[in-house]
Amino acid sequence: MSDCIFCKIVAGDIPSKKLYEDDRVLAFYDIEPKTPVHFLVITKDHIKGALEISEENSRLVAHIFEVIAKLAAELELGAFRVVTNNGPDAGQTVFHLHFHVLSGGVLGEMA
Ligand code: AMP
Ligand code: ZN
């Protein structure tokens, strides 16, 4: 999608601090980290958000969680939180499916 910032990152038109990439997903550090370690795992395909997850594409989400587990082990995160915001009222600002991985220090309670 031409006006999507994450599609531009996937295409290499906008630089990112990449952690992992394969044919389906990309992981890179968040530009405005909310915790000492904060990266995003996104689909390479443009999927608007969690509401668009379906029987046809849900294997991608399973793959994203495999990648999160691999990166969490490699980075020795120990405790971490995975978040996806769906819709502006939930804090979604980029409308391309992504999972935040937040770690470092004590995260405190949420949900
Ligand atoms: P959300 O608000 O849940 O849609 O998450 C979007 C996230 O993307 C925010 O945490 C932003 O800081 C992050 N972000 C926006 N632009 C970039 C960028 N160019 N590189 C890395 N992270 C970005
Ligand atoms: Zn996109």
mmCIF file with all atom_site columns, all heavy atoms in Angstrom, residues 63-83:
data_model
loop_
_atom_site.group_PDB
_atom_site.id
_atom_site.type_symbol
_atom_site.label_atom_id
_atom_site.label_alt_id
_atom_site.label_comp_id
_atom_site.label_asym_id
_atom_site.label_entity_id
_atom_site.label_seq_id
_atom_site.pdbx_PDB_ins_code
_atom_site.Cartn_x
_atom_site.Cartn_y
_atom_site.Cartn_z
_atom_site.occupancy
_atom_site.B_iso_or_equiv
_atom_site.pdbx_formal_charge
_atom_site.auth_seq_id
_atom_site.auth_comp_id
_atom_site.auth_asym_id
_atom_site.auth_atom_id
_atom_site.pdbx_PDB_model_num
ATOM 1   N N   . HIS A 1 63 ? 3.240  -17.674 12.879 1.00 0.00 ? 63 HIS A N   1
ATOM 2   C CA  . HIS A 1 63 ? 4.648  -17.497 12.509 1.00 0.00 ? 63 HIS A CA  1
ATOM 3   C C   . HIS A 1 63 ? 5.260  -16.306 13.251 1.00 0.00 ? 63 HIS A C   1
ATOM 4   O O   . HIS A 1 63 ? 6.402  -16.363 13.722 1.00 0.00 ? 63 HIS A O   1
ATOM 5   C CB  . HIS A 1 63 ? 4.773  -17.329 10.994 1.00 0.00 ? 63 HIS A CB  1
ATOM 6   C CG  . HIS A 1 63 ? 6.182  -17.205 10.537 1.00 0.00 ? 63 HIS A CG  1
ATOM 7   N ND1 . HIS A 1 63 ? 7.141  -18.153 10.819 1.00 0.00 ? 63 HIS A ND1 1
ATOM 8   C CD2 . HIS A 1 63 ? 6.836  -16.222 9.852  1.00 0.00 ? 63 HIS A CD2 1
ATOM 9   C CE1 . HIS A 1 63 ? 8.306  -17.763 10.326 1.00 0.00 ? 63 HIS A CE1 1
ATOM 10  N NE2 . HIS A 1 63 ? 8.147  -16.594 9.734  1.00 0.00 ? 63 HIS A NE2 1
ATOM 11  N N   . ILE A 1 64 ? 4.493  -15.234 13.362 1.00 0.00 ? 64 ILE A N   1
ATOM 12  C CA  . ILE A 1 64 ? 4.975  -14.064 14.104 1.00 0.00 ? 64 ILE A CA  1
ATOM 13  C C   . ILE A 1 64 ? 5.335  -14.455 15.541 1.00 0.00 ? 64 ILE A C   1
ATOM 14  O O   . ILE A 1 64 ? 6.377  -14.057 16.068 1.00 0.00 ? 64 ILE A O   1
ATOM 15  C CB  . ILE A 1 64 ? 3.931  -12.929 14.068 1.00 0.00 ? 64 ILE A CB  1
ATOM 16  C CG1 . ILE A 1 64 ? 4.012  -12.214 12.717 1.00 0.00 ? 64 ILE A CG1 1
ATOM 17  C CG2 . ILE A 1 64 ? 4.132  -11.937 15.225 1.00 0.00 ? 64 ILE A CG2 1
ATOM 18  C CD1 . ILE A 1 64 ? 2.979  -11.133 12.510 1.00 0.00 ? 64 ILE A CD1 1
ATOM 19  N N   . PHE A 1 65 ? 4.499  -15.281 16.165 1.00 0.00 ? 65 PHE A N   1
ATOM 20  C CA  . PHE A 1 65 ? 4.795  -15.677 17.551 1.00 0.00 ? 65 PHE A CA  1
ATOM 21  C C   . PHE A 1 65 ? 6.004  -16.611 17.622 1.00 0.00 ? 65 PHE A C   1
ATOM 22  O O   . PHE A 1 65 ? 6.740  -16.594 18.617 1.00 0.00 ? 65 PHE A O   1
ATOM 23  C CB  . PHE A 1 65 ? 3.544  -16.253 18.228 1.00 0.00 ? 65 PHE A CB  1
ATOM 24  C CG  . PHE A 1 65 ? 2.707  -15.154 18.837 1.00 0.00 ? 65 PHE A CG  1
ATOM 25  C CD1 . PHE A 1 65 ? 1.840  -14.413 18.059 1.00 0.00 ? 65 PHE A CD1 1
ATOM 26  C CD2 . PHE A 1 65 ? 2.836  -14.821 20.181 1.00 0.00 ? 65 PHE A CD2 1
ATOM 27  C CE1 . PHE A 1 65 ? 1.097  -13.367 18.600 1.00 0.00 ? 65 PHE A CE1 1
ATOM 28  C CE2 . PHE A 1 65 ? 2.101  -13.782 20.739 1.00 0.00 ? 65 PHE A CE2 1
ATOM 29  C CZ  . PHE A 1 65 ? 1.228  -13.052 19.943 1.00 0.00 ? 65 PHE A CZ  1
ATOM 30  N N   . GLU A 1 66 ? 6.241  -17.396 16.574 1.00 0.00 ? 66 GLU A N   1
ATOM 31  C CA  . GLU A 1 66 ? 7.476  -18.199 16.537 1.00 0.00 ? 66 GLU A CA  1
ATOM 32  C C   . GLU A 1 66 ? 8.684  -17.275 16.482 1.00 0.00 ? 66 GLU A C   1
ATOM 33  O O   . GLU A 1 66 ? 9.693  -17.501 17.162 1.00 0.00 ? 66 GLU A O   1
ATOM 34  C CB  . GLU A 1 66 ? 7.502  -19.099 15.297 1.00 0.00 ? 66 GLU A CB  1
ATOM 35  C CG  . GLU A 1 66 ? 6.595  -20.305 15.378 1.00 0.00 ? 66 GLU A CG  1
ATOM 36  C CD  . GLU A 1 66 ? 6.520  -21.009 14.023 1.00 0.00 ? 66 GLU A CD  1
ATOM 37  O OE1 . GLU A 1 66 ? 7.492  -20.957 13.240 1.00 0.00 ? 66 GLU A OE1 1
ATOM 38  O OE2 . GLU A 1 66 ? 5.467  -21.599 13.737 1.00 0.00 ? 66 GLU A OE2 1
ATOM 39  N N   . VAL A 1 67 ? 8.582  -16.233 15.663 1.00 0.00 ? 67 VAL A N   1
ATOM 40  C CA  . VAL A 1 67 ? 9.694  -15.284 15.522 1.00 0.00 ? 67 VAL A CA  1
ATOM 41  C C   . VAL A 1 67 ? 9.911  -14.533 16.842 1.00 0.00 ? 67 VAL A C   1
ATOM 42  O O   . VAL A 1 67 ? 11.053 -14.327 17.276 1.00 0.00 ? 67 VAL A O   1
ATOM 43  C CB  . VAL A 1 67 ? 9.427  -14.303 14.345 1.00 0.00 ? 67 VAL A CB  1
ATOM 44  C CG1 . VAL A 1 67 ? 10.411 -13.151 14.336 1.00 0.00 ? 67 VAL A CG1 1
ATOM 45  C CG2 . VAL A 1 67 ? 9.472  -15.062 13.016 1.00 0.00 ? 67 VAL A CG2 1
ATOM 46  N N   . ILE A 1 68 ? 8.819  -14.166 17.488 1.00 0.00 ? 68 ILE A N   1
ATOM 47  C CA  . ILE A 1 68 ? 8.941  -13.479 18.785 1.00 0.00 ? 68 ILE A CA  1
ATOM 48  C C   . ILE A 1 68 ? 9.670  -14.378 19.788 1.00 0.00 ? 68 ILE A C   1
ATOM 49  O O   . ILE A 1 68 ? 10.589 -13.932 20.495 1.00 0.00 ? 68 ILE A O   1
ATOM 50  C CB  . ILE A 1 68 ? 7.551  -13.060 19.310 1.00 0.00 ? 68 ILE A CB  1
ATOM 51  C CG1 . ILE A 1 68 ? 6.997  -11.899 18.460 1.00 0.00 ? 68 ILE A CG1 1
ATOM 52  C CG2 . ILE A 1 68 ? 7.622  -12.668 20.793 1.00 0.00 ? 68 ILE A CG2 1
ATOM 53  C CD1 . ILE A 1 68 ? 5.551  -11.531 18.764 1.00 0.00 ? 68 ILE A CD1 1
ATOM 54  N N   . ALA A 1 69 ? 9.318  -15.656 19.831 1.00 0.00 ? 69 ALA A N   1
ATOM 55  C CA  . ALA A 1 69 ? 9.964  -16.584 20.776 1.00 0.00 ? 69 ALA A CA  1
ATOM 56  C C   . ALA A 1 69 ? 11.455 -16.705 20.461 1.00 0.00 ? 69 ALA A C   1
ATOM 57  O O   . ALA A 1 69 ? 12.304 -16.700 21.372 1.00 0.00 ? 69 ALA A O   1
ATOM 58  C CB  . ALA A 1 69 ? 9.284  -17.949 20.707 1.00 0.00 ? 69 ALA A CB  1
ATOM 59  N N   . LYS A 1 70 ? 11.776 -16.792 19.175 1.00 0.00 ? 70 LYS A N   1
ATOM 60  C CA  . LYS A 1 70 ? 13.192 -16.909 18.763 1.00 0.00 ? 70 LYS A CA  1
ATOM 61  C C   . LYS A 1 70 ? 13.983 -15.652 19.161 1.00 0.00 ? 70 LYS A C   1
ATOM 62  O O   . LYS A 1 70 ? 15.067 -15.738 19.730 1.00 0.00 ? 70 LYS A O   1
ATOM 63  C CB  . LYS A 1 70 ? 13.207 -17.108 17.237 1.00 0.00 ? 70 LYS A CB  1
ATOM 64  C CG  . LYS A 1 70 ? 14.537 -17.084 16.556 1.00 0.00 ? 70 LYS A CG  1
ATOM 65  C CD  . LYS A 1 70 ? 14.304 -17.161 15.026 1.00 0.00 ? 70 LYS A CD  1
ATOM 66  C CE  . LYS A 1 70 ? 15.322 -16.394 14.212 1.00 0.00 ? 70 LYS A CE  1
ATOM 67  N NZ  . LYS A 1 70 ? 16.696 -16.818 14.416 1.00 0.00 ? 70 LYS A NZ  1
ATOM 68  N N   . LEU A 1 71 ? 13.399 -14.478 18.885 1.00 0.00 ? 71 LEU A N   1
ATOM 69  C CA  . LEU A 1 71 ? 14.104 -13.232 19.206 1.00 0.00 ? 71 LEU A CA  1
ATOM 70  C C   . LEU A 1 71 ? 14.206 -13.028 20.717 1.00 0.00 ? 71 LEU A C   1
ATOM 71  O O   . LEU A 1 71 ? 15.234 -12.572 21.217 1.00 0.00 ? 71 LEU A O   1
ATOM 72  C CB  . LEU A 1 71 ? 13.384 -12.035 18.551 1.00 0.00 ? 71 LEU A CB  1
ATOM 73  C CG  . LEU A 1 71 ? 13.486 -11.988 17.026 1.00 0.00 ? 71 LEU A CG  1
ATOM 74  C CD1 . LEU A 1 71 ? 12.630 -10.853 16.468 1.00 0.00 ? 71 LEU A CD1 1
ATOM 75  C CD2 . LEU A 1 71 ? 14.940 -11.811 16.574 1.00 0.00 ? 71 LEU A CD2 1
ATOM 76  N N   . ALA A 1 72 ? 13.141 -13.372 21.435 1.00 0.00 ? 72 ALA A N   1
ATOM 77  C CA  . ALA A 1 72 ? 13.160 -13.221 22.903 1.00 0.00 ? 72 ALA A CA  1
ATOM 78  C C   . ALA A 1 72 ? 14.267 -14.093 23.500 1.00 0.00 ? 72 ALA A C   1
ATOM 79  O O   . ALA A 1 72 ? 14.961 -13.673 24.438 1.00 0.00 ? 72 ALA A O   1
ATOM 80  C CB  . ALA A 1 72 ? 11.797 -13.585 23.490 1.00 0.00 ? 72 ALA A CB  1
ATOM 81  N N   . ALA A 1 73 ? 14.445 -15.286 22.945 1.00 0.00 ? 73 ALA A N   1
ATOM 82  C CA  . ALA A 1 73 ? 15.515 -16.173 23.435 1.00 0.00 ? 73 ALA A CA  1
ATOM 83  C C   . ALA A 1 73 ? 16.883 -15.596 23.069 1.00 0.00 ? 73 ALA A C   1
ATOM 84  O O   . ALA A 1 73 ? 17.779 -15.503 23.918 1.00 0.00 ? 73 ALA A O   1
ATOM 85  C CB  . ALA A 1 73 ? 15.335 -17.574 22.857 1.00 0.00 ? 73 ALA A CB  1
ATOM 86  N N   . GLU A 1 74 ? 17.031 -15.171 21.825 1.00 0.00 ? 74 GLU A N   1
ATOM 87  C CA  . GLU A 1 74 ? 18.324 -14.626 21.371 1.00 0.00 ? 74 GLU A CA  1
ATOM 88  C C   . GLU A 1 74 ? 18.725 -13.386 22.160 1.00 0.00 ? 74 GLU A C   1
ATOM 89  O O   . GLU A 1 74 ? 19.883 -13.185 22.489 1.00 0.00 ? 74 GLU A O   1
ATOM 90  C CB  . GLU A 1 74 ? 18.234 -14.249 19.894 1.00 0.00 ? 74 GLU A CB  1
ATOM 91  C CG  . GLU A 1 74 ? 18.481 -15.420 18.975 1.00 0.00 ? 74 GLU A CG  1
ATOM 92  C CD  . GLU A 1 74 ? 18.273 -15.055 17.504 1.00 0.00 ? 74 GLU A CD  1
ATOM 93  O OE1 . GLU A 1 74 ? 18.276 -13.855 17.156 1.00 0.00 ? 74 GLU A OE1 1
ATOM 94  O OE2 . GLU A 1 74 ? 18.089 -15.991 16.732 1.00 0.00 ? 74 GLU A OE2 1
ATOM 95  N N   . LEU A 1 75 ? 17.744 -12.540 22.434 1.00 0.00 ? 75 LEU A N   1
ATOM 96  C CA  . LEU A 1 75 ? 18.022 -11.288 23.154 1.00 0.00 ? 75 LEU A CA  1
ATOM 97  C C   . LEU A 1 75 ? 17.996 -11.483 24.670 1.00 0.00 ? 75 LEU A C   1
ATOM 98  O O   . LEU A 1 75 ? 18.188 -10.527 25.417 1.00 0.00 ? 75 LEU A O   1
ATOM 99  C CB  . LEU A 1 75 ? 17.010 -10.204 22.746 1.00 0.00 ? 75 LEU A CB  1
ATOM 100 C CG  . LEU A 1 75 ? 17.002 -9.793  21.266 1.00 0.00 ? 75 LEU A CG  1
ATOM 101 C CD1 . LEU A 1 75 ? 15.812 -8.887  20.958 1.00 0.00 ? 75 LEU A CD1 1
ATOM 102 C CD2 . LEU A 1 75 ? 18.310 -9.092  20.893 1.00 0.00 ? 75 LEU A CD2 1
ATOM 103 N N   . GLU A 1 76 ? 17.708 -12.722 25.087 1.00 0.00 ? 76 GLU A N   1
ATOM 104 C CA  . GLU A 1 76 ? 17.648 -13.070 26.518 1.00 0.00 ? 76 GLU A CA  1
ATOM 105 C C   . GLU A 1 76 ? 16.726 -12.130 27.279 1.00 0.00 ? 76 GLU A C   1
ATOM 106 O O   . GLU A 1 76 ? 17.079 -11.567 28.313 1.00 0.00 ? 76 GLU A O   1
ATOM 107 C CB  . GLU A 1 76 ? 19.058 -13.081 27.127 1.00 0.00 ? 76 GLU A CB  1
ATOM 108 C CG  . GLU A 1 76 ? 19.961 -14.115 26.460 1.00 0.00 ? 76 GLU A CG  1
ATOM 109 C CD  . GLU A 1 76 ? 21.375 -14.141 27.035 1.00 0.00 ? 76 GLU A CD  1
ATOM 110 O OE1 . GLU A 1 76 ? 21.707 -13.264 27.856 1.00 0.00 ? 76 GLU A OE1 1
ATOM 111 O OE2 . GLU A 1 76 ? 22.133 -15.041 26.650 1.00 0.00 ? 76 GLU A OE2 1
ATOM 112 N N   . LEU A 1 77 ? 15.522 -11.950 26.727 1.00 0.00 ? 77 LEU A N   1
ATOM 113 C CA  . LEU A 1 77 ? 14.592 -10.982 27.314 1.00 0.00 ? 77 LEU A CA  1
ATOM 114 C C   . LEU A 1 77 ? 14.045 -11.420 28.667 1.00 0.00 ? 77 LEU A C   1
ATOM 115 O O   . LEU A 1 77 ? 13.738 -10.583 29.505 1.00 0.00 ? 77 LEU A O   1
ATOM 116 C CB  . LEU A 1 77 ? 13.414 -10.719 26.361 1.00 0.00 ? 77 LEU A CB  1
ATOM 117 C CG  . LEU A 1 77 ? 13.745 -10.024 25.036 1.00 0.00 ? 77 LEU A CG  1
ATOM 118 C CD1 . LEU A 1 77 ? 12.466 -9.679  24.288 1.00 0.00 ? 77 LEU A CD1 1
ATOM 119 C CD2 . LEU A 1 77 ? 14.587 -8.761  25.258 1.00 0.00 ? 77 LEU A CD2 1
ATOM 120 N N   . GLY A 1 78 ? 13.869 -12.697 28.867 1.00 0.00 ? 78 GLY A N   1
ATOM 121 C CA  . GLY A 1 78 ? 13.218 -13.131 30.116 1.00 0.00 ? 78 GLY A CA  1
ATOM 122 C C   . GLY A 1 78 ? 11.773 -12.698 30.091 1.00 0.00 ? 78 GLY A C   1
ATOM 123 O O   . GLY A 1 78 ? 10.954 -13.237 29.365 1.00 0.00 ? 78 GLY A O   1
ATOM 124 N N   . ALA A 1 79 ? 11.449 -11.655 30.867 1.00 0.00 ? 79 ALA A N   1
ATOM 125 C CA  . ALA A 1 79 ? 10.065 -11.163 30.896 1.00 0.00 ? 79 ALA A CA  1
ATOM 126 C C   . ALA A 1 79 ? 9.821  -10.208 29.734 1.00 0.00 ? 79 ALA A C   1
ATOM 127 O O   . ALA A 1 79 ? 10.651 -9.353  29.429 1.00 0.00 ? 79 ALA A O   1
ATOM 128 C CB  . ALA A 1 79 ? 9.808  -10.448 32.219 1.00 0.00 ? 79 ALA A CB  1
ATOM 129 N N   . PHE A 1 80 ? 8.703  -10.394 29.082 1.00 0.00 ? 80 PHE A N   1
ATOM 130 C CA  . PHE A 1 80 ? 8.335  -9.462  28.020 1.00 0.00 ? 80 PHE A CA  1
ATOM 131 C C   . PHE A 1 80 ? 6.828  -9.483  27.830 1.00 0.00 ? 80 PHE A C   1
ATOM 132 O O   . PHE A 1 80 ? 6.132  -10.376 28.307 1.00 0.00 ? 80 PHE A O   1
ATOM 133 C CB  . PHE A 1 80 ? 9.065  -9.782  26.700 1.00 0.00 ? 80 PHE A CB  1
ATOM 134 C CG  . PHE A 1 80 ? 8.735  -11.122 26.086 1.00 0.00 ? 80 PHE A CG  1
ATOM 135 C CD1 . PHE A 1 80 ? 7.734  -11.244 25.129 1.00 0.00 ? 80 PHE A CD1 1
ATOM 136 C CD2 . PHE A 1 80 ? 9.429  -12.270 26.476 1.00 0.00 ? 80 PHE A CD2 1
ATOM 137 C CE1 . PHE A 1 80 ? 7.435  -12.473 24.562 1.00 0.00 ? 80 PHE A CE1 1
ATOM 138 C CE2 . PHE A 1 80 ? 9.132  -13.506 25.908 1.00 0.00 ? 80 PHE A CE2 1
ATOM 139 C CZ  . PHE A 1 80 ? 8.128  -13.607 24.949 1.00 0.00 ? 80 PHE A CZ  1
ATOM 140 N N   . ARG A 1 81 ? 6.330  -8.474  27.113 1.00 0.00 ? 81 ARG A N   1
ATOM 141 C CA  . ARG A 1 81 ? 4.894  -8.353  26.839 1.00 0.00 ? 81 ARG A CA  1
ATOM 142 C C   . ARG A 1 81 ? 4.701  -8.182  25.335 1.00 0.00 ? 81 ARG A C   1
ATOM 143 O O   . ARG A 1 81 ? 5.477  -7.460  24.691 1.00 0.00 ? 81 ARG A O   1
ATOM 144 C CB  . ARG A 1 81 ? 4.351  -7.140  27.591 1.00 0.00 ? 81 ARG A CB  1
ATOM 145 C CG  . ARG A 1 81 ? 2.884  -6.851  27.336 1.00 0.00 ? 81 ARG A CG  1
ATOM 146 C CD  . ARG A 1 81 ? 2.405  -5.701  28.234 1.00 0.00 ? 81 ARG A CD  1
ATOM 147 N NE  . ARG A 1 81 ? 2.351  -6.108  29.615 1.00 0.00 ? 81 ARG A NE  1
ATOM 148 C CZ  . ARG A 1 81 ? 2.545  -5.290  30.666 1.00 0.00 ? 81 ARG A CZ  1
ATOM 149 N NH1 . ARG A 1 81 ? 2.801  -4.020  30.471 1.00 0.00 ? 81 ARG A NH1 1
ATOM 150 N NH2 . ARG A 1 81 ? 2.475  -5.746  31.904 1.00 0.00 ? 81 ARG A NH2 1
ATOM 151 N N   . VAL A 1 82 ? 3.666  -8.836  24.804 1.00 0.00 ? 82 VAL A N   1
ATOM 152 C CA  . VAL A 1 82 ? 3.326  -8.694  23.386 1.00 0.00 ? 82 VAL A CA  1
ATOM 153 C C   . VAL A 1 82 ? 1.977  -7.986  23.306 1.00 0.00 ? 82 VAL A C   1
ATOM 154 O O   . VAL A 1 82 ? 1.024  -8.389  23.974 1.00 0.00 ? 82 VAL A O   1
ATOM 155 C CB  . VAL A 1 82 ? 3.235  -10.065 22.681 1.00 0.00 ? 82 VAL A CB  1
ATOM 156 C CG1 . VAL A 1 82 ? 2.905  -9.891  21.198 1.00 0.00 ? 82 VAL A CG1 1
ATOM 157 C CG2 . VAL A 1 82 ? 4.534  -10.848 22.848 1.00 0.00 ? 82 VAL A CG2 1
ATOM 158 N N   . VAL A 1 83 ? 1.933  -6.913  22.498 1.00 0.00 ? 83 VAL A N   1
ATOM 159 C CA  . VAL A 1 83 ? 0.716  -6.099  22.403 1.00 0.00 ? 83 VAL A CA  1
ATOM 160 C C   . VAL A 1 83 ? 0.393  -5.818  20.952 1.00 0.00 ? 83 VAL A C   1
ATOM 161 O O   . VAL A 1 83 ? 1.296  -5.527  20.156 1.00 0.00 ? 83 VAL A O   1
ATOM 162 C CB  . VAL A 1 83 ? 0.926  -4.729  23.116 1.00 0.00 ? 83 VAL A CB  1
ATOM 163 C CG1 . VAL A 1 83 ? -0.237 -3.780  22.862 1.00 0.00 ? 83 VAL A CG1 1
ATOM 164 C CG2 . VAL A 1 83 ? 1.138  -4.915  24.607 1.00 0.00 ? 83 VAL A CG2 1
#
